[in-house]
């Protein structure tokens, strides 16, 4: 706490009436977040409504989702708070089932009029303190930046990725607070074509797709794929490991987000065995008809080489467009070293828009011999 501002946790109750101060703090954070996304991309496809923030914070499966806010003045609580009193926020995931050494998906935003006053630094310090209190040694967050030229002086690089990023004010802030580049992904966007190509699936396989919850008879197969993805995905130096999924976790995760998010899932089934051997998911926030994001696409190693990844994405796109007729664009990210997935995305018509940097902070005790 300073005389200028205070950093406070925002803790909505899991049940019952949400206090006015909590609602106001969340609304203030959502307002700042919306402005950040608008400045970065010229759209608000990634901005969440205050209601969606509250839902995510109170409907948790495998993650807690803390929110910290920097508020004007010396305050001990959120009583009487006004939206304009919120100067900045930090929002992040605390895994509770896997990767228990991490705080992940850190999102940080500061109101433009409050920048260069130490607000961002105070929020980062509070996140690191929370990590220490929870026994977490790694903090990760993602940040967009322009893609740099191959030989551009001062370009940001990771150890494993061919993509480089141009330094920004955000990257300077991350470096100043002890974060390092752990991976650089390619951020791309698909403008959904008016006419979609048919998905051609290899002999011996069939495709199924649906919008909404996973049918019970496919939950175990999907869980096996998501567990395998944790081992297969290119991670560079990002300190994440396997996530253990089962049918119950699939059902609980989908139920927790159903009020704010809808998913479209395609699966590839090996006809001889009946096994689900591949899957791809798209997600759409219920308050955004025009935009969706591409989630995981995974094919079991023993069934690769049959162009199932491309078939899954094409089929899922057709089903999504039929069910979400206002859909205009899909956002996706893939590791810079994942050339195979980029070739699939390129074949579908995705165009690269930016680099997405994973910034990772490691507690000093973990980086010394």
């Amino acid at each position: 706490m300073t005389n200028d501002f205070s950093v406070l946790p925002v803790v909505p109750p899991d049940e019952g009436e949400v206090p006015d101060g909590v609602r106001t703090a969340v609304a203030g954070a959502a307002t700042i977040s919306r402005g950040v996304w608008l400045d970065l991309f010229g759209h608000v496809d990634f901005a969440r409504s205050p209601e969606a923030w509250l839902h995510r914070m109170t409907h948790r499966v495998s993650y807690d989702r803390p929110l910290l806010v920097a508020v004007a003045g010396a305050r001990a609580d959120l009583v009487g708070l006004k939206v304009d009193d919120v100067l900045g926020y930090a929002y992040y995931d605390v895994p509770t089932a896997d990767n228990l050494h991490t705080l992940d998906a850190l999102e940080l935003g500061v109101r433009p009029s409050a920048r260069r006053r130490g607000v961002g630094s105070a929020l980062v310090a509070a996140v690191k303190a929370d990590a220490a209190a929870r026994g977490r040694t790694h903090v990760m967050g993602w940040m967009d930046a322009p893609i740099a030229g191959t030989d551009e002086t001062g370009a940001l690089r990771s150890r494993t990725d061919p993509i480089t990023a141009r330094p920004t004010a955000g990257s300077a802030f991350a470096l100043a607070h002890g974060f390092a580049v752990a991976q650089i992904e390619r951020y791309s966007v698909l403008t959904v074509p008016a006419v979609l190509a048919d998905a051609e699936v290899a002999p011996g396989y069939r495709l199924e797709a649906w919008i909404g919850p996973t049918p019970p008879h496919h939950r175990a197969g999907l869980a096996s794929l998501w567990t395998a993805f944790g081992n297969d995905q290119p991670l560079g130096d990002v300190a994440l490991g396997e996530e253990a999924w089962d049918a119950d976790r699939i059902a609980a995760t989908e139920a927790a987000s159903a009020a704010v998010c809808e998913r479209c899932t395609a699966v590839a089934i090996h006809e001889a065995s009946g096994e689900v051997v591949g899957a791809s998911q798209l997600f759409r926030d219920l308050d955004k008809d025009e935009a969706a994001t591409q989630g995981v696409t995974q094919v079991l190693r023993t069934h690769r080489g049959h162009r199932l990844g491309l078939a899954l994405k094409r089929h899922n796109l057709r089903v999504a467009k039929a069910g979400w007729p206002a859909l205009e664009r899909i956002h996706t990210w893939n590791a810079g070293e994942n050339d195979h997935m980029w070739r699939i995305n390129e074949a579908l018509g995705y165009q690269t828009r930016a680099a997405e940097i994973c910034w990772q902070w490691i507690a000093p005790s973990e980086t010394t011999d």
Side-chain angles (χ1 to χ4, degrees):
M1 180 184 296
T2 71
N3 291 329
D4 190 26
F5 63 86
S6 311
V7 175
L8 299 173
V10 181
V11 186
D14 288 339
E15 297 179 355
E17 186 65 26
V18 178
D20 289 343
V22 169
R23 286 192 178 278
T24 302
V26 171
T31 299
I32 295 170
S33 174
R34 184 180 180 88
V36 169
W37 291 121
L38 193 60
D39 287 345
L40 276 173
F41 296 117
H43 63 69
V44 292
D45 289 355
F46 307 137
R48 291 178 293 271
S49 68
E51 293 76 19
W53 280 61
L54 280 168
H55 186 89
R56 284 169 55 88
M57 293 170 70
T58 55
H59 293 73
R60 306 178 303 275
V61 176
S62 306
Y63 293 90
D64 287 334
R65 292 191 166 98
L67 172 64
L68 305 174
V69 291
V71 297
R75 280 181 167 272
D77 56 45
L78 302 173
V79 175
L81 188 72
K82 298 177 181 178
V83 169
D84 289 344
D85 292 335
V86 181
L87 307 179
Y89 72 92
Y91 180 66
Y92 48 98
D93 289 349
V94 181
T96 56
D98 323 276
N99 293 300
L100 301 181
H101 60 293
T102 69
L103 301 184
D104 195 11
L106 171 62
E107 181 182 323
L108 187 77
V110 177
R111 191 181 295 275
S113 60
R115 291 173 186 167
R116 302 192 182 281
R117 288 167 47 187
V119 173
S121 295
L123 286 164
V124 169
V127 172
K128 290 178 180 178
D130 189 27
R134 297 174 186 267
R136 308 296 172 110
T137 56
H138 292 65
V139 178
M140 297 93 153
W142 294 85
M143 186 186 301
D144 292 278
I147 290 180
T150 306
D151 300 318
E152 190 168 323
T153 302
L156 299 167
R157 307 172 189 275
S158 76
R159 185 179 58 83
T160 59
D161 296 287
I163 296 175
T164 58
R166 190 166 296 154
T168 64
S171 62
F173 178 88
L175 289 166
H177 289 84
F179 287 76
V181 177
Q183 188 178 40
I184 301 180
E185 292 194 342
R186 182 193 302 269
Y187 162 54
S188 308
V189 180
L190 172 68
T191 300
V192 178
V195 178
L196 298 171
D198 290 330
E200 297 181 5
V201 63
Y205 299 90
R206 72 176 188 274
L207 302 176
E208 295 182 15
W210 60 87
I211 292 177
T214 300
H217 63 282
H218 280 326
R219 288 174 186 162
L222 202 62
S224 295
L225 285 164
W226 290 175
T227 299
F229 178 76
N231 291 319
D232 291 349
Q233 63 175 322
L235 284 170
D237 291 324
V238 181
L240 292 175
E242 177 182 296
E243 293 185 353
W245 287 81
D246 59 21
D248 289 342
R249 184 171 175 178
I250 292 285
T253 299
E254 293 178 350
S257 63
V260 294
C261 174
E262 193 169 43
R263 65 197 71 211
C264 183
T265 307
V267 296
I269 299 169
H270 182 234
E271 292 189 307
S273 65
E275 182 183 11
V276 175
V277 299
S280 184
Q281 283 192 325
L282 293 167
F283 298 87
R284 181 185 71 85
D285 288 346
L286 293 181
D287 60 353
K288 297 182 179 69
D289 294 335
E290 300 86 5
T293 58
Q294 172 68 55
V296 170
T297 299
Q298 172 73 1
V299 176
L300 294 179
R301 287 181 178 273
T302 51
H303 292 271
R304 293 177 185 172
H306 302 287
R307 298 175 65 84
L308 291 177
L310 178 60
L312 282 163
K313 283 196 164 186
R314 276 202 168 130
H315 188 56
N316 211 29
L317 182 56
R318 290 182 68 88
V319 173
K321 181 61 176 175
W324 304 333
L327 183 64
E328 296 178 358
R329 56 193 172 274
I330 299 173
H331 305 276
T332 193
W333 299 260
N334 60 278
E337 63 266 48
N338 193 349
D339 290 337
H340 175 70
M341 187 55 67
W342 170 240
R343 287 194 296 271
I344 290 175
N345 289 343
E346 199 171 30
L348 291 168
Y350 280 89
Q351 295 186 338
T352 300
R353 296 290 177 85
E356 179 94 352
I357 305 169
C358 178
W359 290 98
Q360 181 171 258
W361 175 81
I362 304 175
S365 61
E366 297 294 310
T367 58
T368 57
D369 294 329

